[in-house]
Amino acid sequence: MTSSLVSARLSPAASPRLIILAEAVLKAGATAKASLKRRLVNEMLSKAPRDYQTEIDVAVERIIVEELTKKFPDYAIKGEEAVGNRDGSAGTPVIYIDPIDGTTNFAWGIPHFGMTISIVENGILVAGVVYDAMLDELFSAELGGGAYLNGSRIECVANGDIENVVVGAGLPVPGQVKAVSEEIYFDALKRLMANTAGVRRLGSAALSIAYVACGRLDGFFEDGLSLHDYGASALLVTEAGGTVTAFNGRPVTANGDILAANTALHPWLAEGLK
Ligand code: IPD
Ligand code: CA
Ligand code: CA
């Protein structure tokens, strides 16, 4: 895809570095899409119980790292699969890559996974892309520049009408919930089931949070995520007028408990996680 075709899928004011992130993720997306199939457990690696790595997680990260290493020779790189990680000197921007967010979906042949890259500069998220290779949907955002889906501006939907919200949430694996007790977390899920239009566990935190940014979900929460998963998507939500915090309403920390929602709904969700 030529640079002008890629640019047409971003903000008209997209910076050269956002265009490079988009080019890299689009290139890698073709490989991921072509490789989707049901895999058996003996055909992949288990990094930990219920935490899989397929050969495509590694291949896709390699494609992205090769592109970005050339284009950003000074930046630090932190990929989830550690294919080409490198440190930078103090103060250099850091690129976070999650080559396939939703590996369990991918490994089971379920066509819903996100590919995501973000840049953190001086501790602040400044740019990010999330790509759904199956639907050819490219989400992108830059700090202060708005959030976009395939070149169209997106915004959270201001909907705090509890009976008529749809909320995404992670269904945790054992040990994943740490920010609150499991009892509080599961009660929060029950509260959603009892009061809202529906709860969704889509299987890619990156895409679920991006869905909050474009209004397909009114909110989302999950514990135990990392910047690799949520960096680009969190920037999408704030640039789309939504709110992203930890469960306790304070800024997100390395603990990785994330509550992203349209601003009208956020307080009600936070109440349920107390
Ligand atoms: C996972 C996905 C999943 C979430 C897990 C994440 P991965 O990332 O985002 O939706 O529930 O907590 O670890 O391992 O597929 O990159
Ligand atoms: Ca992930
Ligand atoms: Ca991953």
Side-chain angles (χ1 to χ4, degrees), residues 80 98 100-102 228-229:
E80 201 172 66
D98 190 346
I100 295 189
D101 182 70
H228 296 88
D229 309 301

Short mmCIF file of all heavy atoms in Angstrom, two decimals, residues 80 98 100-102 228-229, ligand 2:
data_model
loop_
_atom_site.label_atom_id
_atom_site.label_comp_id
_atom_site.label_asym_id
_atom_site.label_seq_id
_atom_site.Cartn_x
_atom_site.Cartn_y
_atom_site.Cartn_z
N GLU A 80 5.80 -7.42 22.83
CA GLU A 80 5.30 -8.41 23.79
C GLU A 80 6.02 -9.75 23.64
O GLU A 80 6.24 -10.47 24.61
CB GLU A 80 3.79 -8.60 23.60
CG GLU A 80 3.12 -9.17 24.81
CD GLU A 80 1.61 -9.17 24.66
OE1 GLU A 80 1.10 -9.90 23.79
OE2 GLU A 80 0.96 -8.46 25.43
N ASP A 98 2.14 -4.90 20.50
CA ASP A 98 1.46 -6.17 20.77
C ASP A 98 1.06 -6.71 19.40
O ASP A 98 0.11 -6.23 18.79
CB ASP A 98 0.24 -5.97 21.67
CG ASP A 98 -0.33 -7.31 22.14
OD1 ASP A 98 0.07 -8.34 21.56
OD2 ASP A 98 -1.16 -7.31 23.06
N ILE A 100 -0.22 -9.50 18.24
CA ILE A 100 -1.59 -10.03 18.17
C ILE A 100 -2.17 -9.92 19.57
O ILE A 100 -1.71 -10.60 20.49
CB ILE A 100 -1.61 -11.50 17.70
CG1 ILE A 100 -1.09 -11.56 16.26
CG2 ILE A 100 -3.03 -12.07 17.81
CD1 ILE A 100 -1.25 -12.89 15.58
N ASP A 101 -3.12 -9.03 19.73
CA ASP A 101 -3.80 -8.94 21.01
C ASP A 101 -5.12 -9.71 20.85
O ASP A 101 -6.00 -9.30 20.09
CB ASP A 101 -4.09 -7.48 21.38
CG ASP A 101 -4.77 -7.40 22.73
OD1 ASP A 101 -4.10 -7.68 23.74
OD2 ASP A 101 -5.98 -7.12 22.78
N GLY A 102 -5.18 -10.81 21.57
CA GLY A 102 -6.29 -11.74 21.37
C GLY A 102 -5.74 -13.03 20.80
O GLY A 102 -6.35 -13.67 19.94
N HIS A 228 1.44 -2.71 26.51
CA HIS A 228 1.39 -3.31 25.17
C HIS A 228 -0.05 -3.46 24.69
O HIS A 228 -0.37 -3.23 23.54
CB HIS A 228 2.04 -4.70 25.17
CG HIS A 228 3.49 -4.69 25.49
ND1 HIS A 228 3.96 -4.76 26.78
CD2 HIS A 228 4.58 -4.63 24.70
CE1 HIS A 228 5.28 -4.74 26.77
NE2 HIS A 228 5.68 -4.66 25.51
N ASP A 229 -0.92 -3.92 25.61
CA ASP A 229 -2.31 -4.17 25.24
C ASP A 229 -3.10 -2.88 25.04
O ASP A 229 -3.81 -2.71 24.06
CB ASP A 229 -3.07 -4.92 26.37
CG ASP A 229 -2.38 -6.17 26.88
OD1 ASP A 229 -2.14 -7.06 26.08
OD2 ASP A 229 -2.10 -6.24 28.10
CA CA B 2 -2.12 -8.42 24.64
#
